[in-house]
Amino acid sequence: MATLIYDEMELFFVCMSSGAMLAMVYDLVRILRLFFRHRDWVVDVEDLLFWIMTAWIVFRMLFAYNQGILRAYAFLGLLLGFLVYAFTLSKLLLFTAYKIVPYWKRGMKYVKKPFAFLLRWARKGLKNILTQVKMAIKSR
């Protein structure tokens, strides 16, 4: 009987840590969205993939620890792990990210300038080549 209780306690703590881990992964996705501009449909796809991954992780965890039996305390552990993370480390992580983002964007302007120049130069050269090819085709 004691082993059964310890197994259930282990499942509860694994669910708590999984809830915190899943919340951290979603925070990292949110931080990625801060650093790089996303279109709306890309955000939707990212969210869909995150929730599919979350469902798969929860299913595998419940299957590995509890033979796939759904228990309310497992979902309570997921929720509690998420809430503990959301009210502690998440705030610190997002605060830090919001402080870094303006410097990142300012630095990216300097990184993008040479590439933008090279892109314009390559586009101009390709346009000249295309014009010459069109003229050669018309002259035939």
Side-chain angles (χ1 to χ4, degrees):
M1 187 66 155
T3 13
L4 180 66
I5 292 172
Y6 287 127
D7 290 343
E8 291 179 6
M9 285 177 53
E10 180 183 5
L11 174 64
F12 181 74
F13 289 119
V14 166
C15 286
M16 278 185 62
S17 61
S18 295
M21 184 244 347
L22 290 170
M24 183 183 296
V25 169
Y26 194 72
D27 272 354
L28 293 176
V29 169
R30 289 171 53 190
I31 290 170
L32 182 71
R33 290 177 188 164
L34 287 175
F35 284 101
F36 301 103
R37 191 176 304 157
H38 288 70
R39 295 180 183 224
D40 289 340
W41 69 270
V42 175
V43 171
D44 294 341
V45 169
E46 286 175 350
D47 285 342
L48 179 66
L49 291 174
F50 173 78
W51 286 110
I52 289 171
M53 179 197 70
T54 299
W56 179 252
I57 288 172
V58 170
F59 169 75
R60 295 293 297 167
M61 179 183 52
L62 288 175
F63 193 77
Y65 281 92
N66 209 23
Q67 292 79 33
I69 301 171
L70 300 176
R71 302 276 185 195
Y73 65 85
F75 292 104
L76 181 67
L78 284 166
L79 179 67
L80 189 61
F82 166 78
L83 291 175
V84 167
Y85 171 79
F87 289 116
T88 56
L89 293 176
S90 177
K91 293 194 181 290
L92 178 67
L93 188 64
L94 290 175
F95 175 78
T96 306
Y98 277 111
K99 291 294 183 184
I100 293 173
V101 166
Y103 300 110
W104 167 266
K105 289 187 178 181
R106 196 175 312 144
M108 287 304 291
K109 285 182 185 176
Y110 296 114
V111 171
K112 286 181 182 179
K113 279 186 181 182
F115 291 109
F117 172 75
L118 287 174
L119 185 63
R120 279 193 305 268
W121 180 76
R123 189 177 290 159
K124 192 178 199 181
L126 288 174
K127 192 174 183 181
N128 289 339
I129 292 171
L130 183 63
T131 305
Q132 290 175 1
V133 169
K134 284 181 180 179
M135 287 174 47
I137 291 174
K138 282 184 181 180
S139 66
R140 284 188 161 191

